[in-house]
């Protein structure tokens, strides 16, 4: 029985079961070129009236760079303030701030992922080459403003890779420079030139251990292959995903993928760490309609990966916010339901706090 938070498990009566994917041996590190993928049209809004929470799809992203938000941005019911505070005290909480940016709080540590902090607008950053159109120096629109709530005290900044849609100019200028900054080696020079002083570069399969209020947190860097095309993946640079493991009386694990497609290295992460308590995948199917294919997972890949990871809970991020995202989050929730994915899927509300699910 599929369990999508607040959403019926079968929208169309489909009861197809997930196939059992083959699991790679731990340590498999070579990026897989992946199966050939044909460019597909962006997935449109298809199930709004059928969702019990009025969870509606984003309209197909605006290819003209307009700053109007997509119709029906995805939302979920936020817990009452008292419930959120109690959950934070016992097991942590999360706030999605749009795109790849989220705050995780647990056991006395406050972590910020991929800080993209600039306001809504038609050209909030420029991509060297647009993943869908191939246009060079392409401006990208942001549909929604970041939450008005200040970031507050930060203990750790986690960076998956040094691209403008993951570490923007506002973040470089405004974030405190003395925060512990965990990042890929390829991003060190950019962070140092922006004035950050406490840099902890992690290559794949390297980790840092931080003390927490009641134990410790292990942050392990794992491969994040940006494309199935090996040449394009190399051009886009070596990025990280991270497996976060809180150790102590109440252990908890989080796997944040960064900008990764579903490859053999991700299968190796599953072989090593499944089951994962919480999976934070980057969705949006960036590049799905471009000449060289996916730059982040689409719904099909994400559901297959979630099954392999045996994720107990999934909070999908990296959707809705920017114009180069090509697939609404409802494509994932629909496929998860039709495949009877065992994980509980929680679609976050931009700016709302939610307890870390257990």
């Amino acid at each position: 029985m599929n369990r999508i938070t607040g959403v019926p498990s079968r929208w169309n009566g489909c009861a197809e079961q997930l196939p059992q994917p083959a699991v790679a041996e731990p340590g498999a590190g070579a990026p897989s070129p992946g199966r050939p993928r044909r460019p597909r049209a962006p997935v449109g809004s298809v199930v709004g009236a059928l969702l019990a929470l009025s969870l509606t799809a984003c309209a197909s992203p605006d290819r003209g760079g307009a700053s109007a938000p997509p119709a029906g941005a995805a939302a979920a019911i936020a817990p009452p303030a008292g419930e959120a505070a109690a959950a934070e005290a016992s097991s942590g909480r999360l706030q999605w701030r749009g795109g790849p940016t989220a705050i995780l709080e647990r056991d006395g540590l406050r972590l910020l992922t991929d800080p993209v902090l600039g306001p809504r607008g038609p050209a909030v950053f420029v991509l060297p080459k647009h993943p869908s159109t191939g246009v060079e120096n392409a401006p990208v629109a942001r549909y929604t403003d970041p939450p008005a709530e200040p970031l507050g005290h930060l203990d750790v900044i986690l960076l998956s890779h040094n691209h403008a849609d993951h570490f923007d100019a506002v973040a470089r200028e405004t974030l405190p420079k003395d925060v512990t900054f965990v990042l890929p080696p390829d991003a060190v020079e950019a962070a140092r030139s922006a004035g950050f002083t406490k840099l902890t570069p992690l290559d794949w399969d390297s980790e840092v251990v931080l003390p927490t209020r009641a134990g410790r947190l292990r942050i392990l860097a794992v491969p994040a292959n940006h494309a199935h095309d090996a040449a394009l993946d190399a051009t886009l640079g070596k990025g990280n995903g991270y497996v976060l493991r809180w150790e102590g009386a109440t252990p908890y694990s989080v796997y944040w993928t960064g900008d990764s497609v579903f490859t053999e290295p991700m299968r190796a992460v599953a072989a090593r760490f499944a089951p994962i308590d919480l999976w934070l995948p980057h969705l949006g199917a960036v590049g799905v309609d471009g000449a060289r294919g996916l730059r982040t997972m689409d719904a099909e890949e994400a559901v297959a990966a979630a099954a392999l990871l045996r994720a107990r809970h999934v909070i999908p991020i990296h959707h809705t916010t920017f114009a180069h995202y090509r697939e609404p989050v409802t494509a994932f929730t629909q496929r998860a339901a039709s495949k009877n994915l065992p994980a509980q899927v929680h679609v976050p509300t931009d700016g709302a706090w939610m307890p870390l699910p257990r």
Side-chain angles (χ1 to χ4, degrees):
M1 181 72 173
N2 179 260
R3 296 176 293 167
I4 307 292
T5 299
V7 180
S9 63
R10 299 179 185 177
W11 286 290
N12 57 8
C14 181
E16 183 182 356
Q17 298 294 319
L18 281 162
Q20 295 298 317
V23 179
E25 291 299 318
S32 168
R35 62 187 184 283
R37 303 183 66 88
R38 293 179 295 178
R40 296 176 296 176
V43 178
S45 175
V46 292
V47 295
L50 300 178
L51 302 181
L53 282 179
S54 298
L55 182 66
T56 52
C58 311
S60 296
D62 179 7
R63 296 167 188 258
S67 59
I77 295 177
E83 178 185 337
E88 191 279 330
S90 62
S91 60
R93 61 178 185 163
L94 178 145
Q95 182 193 47
W96 180 51
R97 299 181 68 93
T101 309
I103 295 175
L104 291 89
E105 290 183 357
R106 194 173 194 275
D107 202 12
L109 288 182
R110 186 177 173 98
L111 297 84
L112 175 70
T113 69
D114 277 1
V116 185
L117 308 180
R120 169 181 171 175
V124 294
F125 51 77
V126 173
L127 296 180
K129 183 175 286 188
H130 197 284
S132 295
T133 65
V135 171
E136 295 185 356
N137 298 317
V140 176
R142 180 169 186 150
Y143 294 133
T144 58
D145 278 313
E149 179 183 342
L151 289 171
H153 170 76
L154 298 173
D155 296 294
V156 180
I157 299 170
L158 283 175
L159 188 69
S160 64
H161 62 302
N162 182 38
H163 287 178
D165 55 336
H166 292 260
F167 186 28
D168 69 357
V170 175
R172 294 168 194 259
E173 294 169 6
T174 63
L175 286 172
K177 300 302 187 283
D178 59 349
V179 175
T180 297
F181 200 145
V182 179
L183 70 176
D186 288 355
V188 166
E189 185 53 41
R192 183 180 289 121
S193 65
F196 294 91
T197 60
K198 295 180 66 175
L199 304 180
T200 303
L202 291 183
D203 207 344
W204 294 349
D205 210 31
S206 298
E207 71 175 16
V208 61
V209 181
L210 303 176
T212 65
R213 191 165 47 201
R216 59 185 181 177
L217 168 63
R218 292 184 179 274
I219 302 175
L220 176 74
V222 296
N225 296 110
H226 215 325
H228 290 289
D229 181 290
L232 176 59
D233 188 45
T235 299
L236 293 171
K238 188 174 180 179
N240 287 350
Y242 295 95
V243 176
L244 313 176
R245 289 169 291 162
W246 278 267
E247 298 177 344
T250 56
Y252 194 77
S253 59
V254 176
Y255 173 25
W256 171 45
T257 66
D259 271 7
S260 181
V261 291
F262 186 31
T263 60
E264 288 304 317
M266 191 177 289
R267 291 176 182 270
V269 171
R272 183 174 177 184
F273 293 109
I276 290 287
D277 290 314
L278 174 61
W279 190 44
L280 296 176
H282 283 198
L283 301 186
V286 174
V288 70
D289 51 352
R292 303 182 76 176
L294 288 172
R295 311 284 180 90
T296 61
M297 284 179 286
D298 62 4
E300 178 184 353
E301 288 199 346
V303 169
L308 194 63
L309 288 160
R310 289 184 284 137
R312 296 185 175 96
H313 300 271
V314 180
I315 299 179
I317 60 175
H318 201 272
H319 55 80
T320 306
T321 312
F322 296 109
H324 64 315
Y325 298 165
R326 285 299 191 246
E327 190 176 76
V329 68
T330 45
F332 173 71
T333 57
Q334 288 176 80
R335 188 168 185 85
S338 70
K339 294 290 187 178
N340 289 326
L341 184 70
Q344 291 189 18
V345 179
H346 314 262
V347 178
T349 300
D350 195 342
W353 287 97
M354 59 191 301
L356 289 179
R358 290 196 65 87

